[in-house]
Amino acid sequence: MVTISSDIATSSRFRYAIAICTRLLEVPVISASQSRMARAALNMGVREVAEAAGVSTNTITRLERGEELLPRTTADIRAALESAGVIFLADGQTTDGGPGVRLAK
C-alpha cells in the first residue's frame, strides 16, 4: 500500500487525477452506504468530511442519499476519506458481500 501525504491528497491535481483514473478504469468511486460506513468508522461528521473534501455539507448529504454526483466530486470525497484512514473495498473483495469499507492499518 502507498501512503500519500495529506498535502498531496488534498491537492486539486491529485483529486483530478483520481477522478480521471476512476473514469478510465470504469471503477465505481464510492456508494452512499460506503460513505456512511467510512464516516462512522472514522467517527467523522458530515461537516468534517465536507471540509476535508472541499465540498459543501449538502454535497455529502446528497451522496449519502444516493444521488448521483459528478465523478470528480465523488473522487474528492473518496480521497478525503482515504487520507483520513479508510480503505474502500469493491464488490467481491470481502468474503461474503458487496462493497465495503475497512480501516487502514
Side-chain angles (χ1 to χ4, degrees), residues 48-62:
E48 293 168 293
V49 175
E51 184 177 323
V55 299
S56 72
T57 55
N58 288 339
T59 301
I60 304 297
T61 303
R62 288 177 39 230

Side-chain angles (χ1 to χ4, degrees), residues 3-4 6 8 10-11 15 19 21 47 53 59 62 97 104-105:
T3 304
I4 299 169
S6 60
I8 294 170
T10 57
S11 76
R15 293 187 300 207
C21 290
R47 288 185 190 124
T59 301
R62 288 177 39 230
K105 291 183 179 182

Side-chain angles (χ1 to χ4, degrees), residues 29-61:
V29 182
I30 57 172
S31 68
S33 59
Q34 282 179 305
S35 176
R36 290 189 302 270
M37 286 188 282
R39 280 196 315 104
L42 295 167
N43 198 27
M44 291 179 79
V46 171
R47 288 185 190 124
E48 293 168 293
V49 175
E51 184 177 323
V55 299
S56 72
T57 55
N58 288 339
T59 301
I60 304 297
T61 303

Side-chain angles (χ1 to χ4, degrees), residues 3-104:
T3 304
I4 299 169
S5 75
S6 60
D7 292 343
I8 294 170
T10 57
S11 76
S12 60
R13 284 185 182 181
F14 176 77
R15 293 187 300 207
Y16 181 72
I18 293 291
I20 294 299
C21 290
T22 300
R23 204 180 244 172
L24 290 174
L25 296 172
E26 296 182 16
V27 175
V29 182
I30 57 172
S31 68
S33 59
Q34 282 179 305
S35 176
R36 290 189 302 270
M37 286 188 282
R39 280 196 315 104
L42 295 167
N43 198 27
M44 291 179 79
V46 171
R47 288 185 190 124
E48 293 168 293
V49 175
E51 184 177 323
V55 299
S56 72
T57 55
N58 288 339
T59 301
I60 304 297
T61 303
R62 288 177 39 230
L63 170 65
E64 293 186 354
R65 278 196 309 244
E67 293 180 28
E68 190 172 328
L69 303 178
L70 294 173
R72 182 175 178 179
T73 303
T74 309
D76 289 348
I77 296 166
R78 179 182 178 140
L81 290 168
E82 286 177 330
S83 68
V86 296
I87 296 171
F88 291 95
L89 304 170
D91 191 8
Q93 281 186 290
T94 58
T95 53
D96 251 0
V101 173
R102 76 171 179 83
L103 290 172

